Amino acid sequence: MKPSMTSERFTAVQLMELDACTRCNECLNWCPVYEEINTGQFTPAELPEGRTATEQEALAYSPRNRIMVLKDFINKGYGWRARLFGPKHIPEEDILKFKDELYHCTTCGACGSVCEAGIDTVEIWESARANMVINERGPYGKQSGFIDLLKSYNVFAADQKDRLCWIPEDIHVEDTAEVGYFTGCTAAYRMQKVGVATVRVLDALGIPFTMLGEEEWCCASVAVRTGQLGIAKEFVDHNVNAAKKKGIKKMVYACAGCHRTSIIDWPKFYEGGELPFKVYALSEYLCELMDEGKLKPEDFKFKNSLDKVVTFHDSCHTGRHVGIYEQPRRILELIPGIKLVEMERNRSYQRCCGAGGGIKAGVSDLALKLAQERVRDAEEVGAEMITCTCPFCRRNIMDGINAMDTNVVFEDEMVLLAEAMGLDLTVPQNPYTDKNM
Amino acid sequence: MTDGLLIFGKTIWNMLFIDWRIMAISAVLAVIVFLLGIYLQLKKWGEGSRAYGGPSQSGSVWAFLKTLVHRIRKESGSKVINILVMDVFLQRRTFKADKLRWFMHICILYGWIGLAFLSMAVTTSYEMYGVFIANDHEMFPNAWIMLEPAFDFLSYMLLIGIAIAFGRRLFSKDTRAFSDETDWILIALLILVVASGFYAQYLRETTDITVRMLTSEYPAEYYGSFGNSFTIFHEVFSLFAMVAYIPYSKFMHIIASPLAILASGGGKK
């Protein structure tokens, strides 16, 4: 008899990690989704209408509980009782209930950062989601539309030929270069100002760079985050091979989602497991150049003082997942007039804005609530502006700001840097001009 | 004192032998049950793939162990040692999160391991060596008496740890709310082991020698040796609750958690 919940997509170490949970409950102190549900700020659609979740119902959406339930499911199929007496049946509604709880997670990784057993929770959630998809139980809500969108190789079903339609005419993109700039779908089609700011900064600092253009497909983040891995290998192979043809040795990213996917997920799918280039967050790359003496603070030739109290929101992807915390702050500290303040929860303890893990598409009202929490965090420390290196965070936090009565504004870090350097951020007219966020 | 039994050409005090036989059988059984549980756990873990998205390893224990070693070896030797000392032995991650919980964990873990290790060391080395090899019947009770302060210290450590675990659930609303029968069963087992241990020791020290001689014939001055049927209950129960039961219960995290920390390079920071 086949176990009701199979071990497909789980690694051996992950199955061991399920048994490693000490039930210390530390993750409950940090999980933003559990907090929203437990405090009655958000009620999952699966619960009866008209009331908030009880303590036990909220607990079901916590990382600890997901580990416990997964462990129980796996034990029923493969544990010592199952070995001796055969797998125990799990009612399908129990598995589907778990799926709903699993897909309410933003995969922010706060639980993993504080886990006393060192469990790599994000990878477990994503493996569990992949397991759900393989067994036709996942994904959740609108997330199933990602695969259709990706038939056009980007998440906006836009024309790949327009991938570089926003590049200012005076910017020279090399045919081949050691440094490549991976734009990402969002900067290419919806937040082109971020793309313009990035290429302007690279150009102004005299860093020759190339881009993949039409050959840059979606990094596959949305598919990987939601467990829909069927297309991942094709997309990863395509992007990596396109980068190889361009001679890229260092790929830089101004999108945290693409950055995380490239550095953590691409090697899982790419043949041989090792990418032929090094993956950098743009701020990380600039700091490396400064550390090597190839770039000096005066090379930025700042022309404007921004005169704002700014707080930096660590994106989950570049922050907790990859471990880049200080470099974006070093770049911000270079900008004249900026007073950098820290929100109470910062770096590895940062509060997720709610955009990730497919939540923006799957449970958009939860994403909005979480974004508003983050804006309140910024208000508490007197910040006038939130900045970040993630277009997804930008989109969601701006949605949060728009839904609130607040004076806090948001701007991407590269845009701030380019503005301080006095660079022209005009986005050339293109078919996506009116769709820009 | 009786003439004793002749085993492998050595004379054993017969009543000691009764104790010893019960303990030996219990210990062997507990270890067998423990190892069987570990084997089944390893087989379960071996159902997973070696790498992300790879095929299942079909429950191979060997494949799991190779996967684990492969993951641990991703880190340099010095980093593995650092993780082992700071994160596994000293539980740095718990220390950062909550000092009281860290103290509780340290007390329970090292109290438990210390008692188990010392008991095993005394019984296997002094008892086996003393009685069977050196033919010195006093070596074992002497060792037991010599190590009594260490046993006391570890017992109080364990007691303090359990008291904190129990107290947190009694006085902290959150901890109580998040605890279920899994946690309570383990705490109850620990309490039973510790309480019976202290009571057994009390009996050893206070019970009249003639009562203790029901099961043991050590000379009266060796009050620390096996001595009464309650002591034997405590020891047998401890073996099964604290050793054999590990792979079949939440106690499994005692083994899985250090392995997970090692496999994840010390965990996310």
Side-chain angles (χ1 to χ4, degrees), chain B residues 15 20 30 35 75 85 93 120 126 140 160-161 181 199 220 227 231 237 242 258-259:
Chain B
M15 298 318 289
W20 190 84
L35 290 176
E75 304 292 347
V85 173
R93 295 177 74 85
M120 280 191 289
Y126 288 101
F140 170 60
I160 290 167
E181 67 278 4
Y199 186 61
T231 309
F237 182 78
M242 302 287 107
L259 295 179

Side-chain angles (χ1 to χ4, degrees), chain B residues 222-240:
Chain B
Y222 297 129
Y223 62 87
S225 62
F226 293 177
N228 57 69
S229 36
F230 190 85
T231 309
I232 293 177
F233 161 77
H234 161 73
E235 284 157 352
V236 171
F237 182 78
S238 300
L239 274 171
F240 282 96

Side-chain angles (χ1 to χ4, degrees), chain A residues 7 9-12 15 19 22-23 25-26 34 64 75 80 83 112-113 115-118 268 321 348, chain B residues 40-41 43-45 47-49 52-53 93-94 97 101 178 180 183 248 250 253 257 261 264 268-269:
Chain A
S7 63
R9 282 291 172 188
F10 289 100
T11 66
L15 294 181
D19 285 303
T22 64
R23 296 163 60 95
N25 298 321
E26 186 60 21
Y34 168 71
R64 187 203 83 158
N75 276 342
W80 64 272
R83 294 268 172 213
S113 284
C115 178
E116 294 174 12
K268 295 176 196 164
H321 294 193
S348 61
Chain B
L40 294 172
Q41 287 283 6
K43 279 194 79 65
K44 181 183 80 180
W45 298 341
E47 290 290 342
S49 59
Y52 187 76
R93 295 177 74 85
T94 308
R101 195 165 65 232
F178 300 142
D180 60 21
D183 304 289
Y248 307 92
K250 183 203 164 189
H253 76 254
S257 177
I261 289 174
S264 63
K268 291 268 181 193
K269 300 293 187 290

Side-chain angles (χ1 to χ4, degrees), chain B residues 123-162:
Chain B
T123 49
T124 54
S125 58
Y126 288 101
E127 188 170 359
M128 298 285 286
Y129 174 78
V131 173
F132 287 106
I133 298 166
N135 204 16
D136 180 350
H137 295 282
E138 296 189 359
M139 186 182 280
F140 170 60
N142 276 333
W144 205 256
I145 291 164
M146 183 184 74
L147 290 169
E148 194 137 301
F151 274 104
D152 285 348
F153 176 74
L154 293 165
S155 302
Y156 282 114
M157 259 181 88
L158 189 54
L159 183 68
I160 290 167
I162 294 165

Side-chain angles (χ1 to χ4, degrees), chain A residues 342-405:
Chain A
E342 293 291 353
M343 287 181 269
E344 189 185 341
R345 285 178 63 166
N346 60 71
R347 296 177 172 83
S348 61
Y349 297 107
Q350 157 267 47
R351 186 202 304 273
C352 172
C353 78
I359 292 293
K360 190 74 182 159
V363 202
S364 54
D365 42 351
L366 172 60
L368 187 63
K369 291 278 185 192
L370 290 167
Q372 290 173 307
E373 292 288 354
R374 199 54 176 154
V375 177
R376 278 192 276 275
D377 287 346
E379 284 178 329
E380 274 176 22
V381 293
E384 297 167 279
M385 178 186 278
I386 304 173
T387 188
C388 184
T389 60
C390 173
F392 257 49
C393 295
R394 177 183 192 265
R395 160 89 195 276
N396 199 42
I397 291 176
M398 285 180 75
D399 284 350
I401 288 172
N402 291 336
M404 295 167 74
D405 179 21

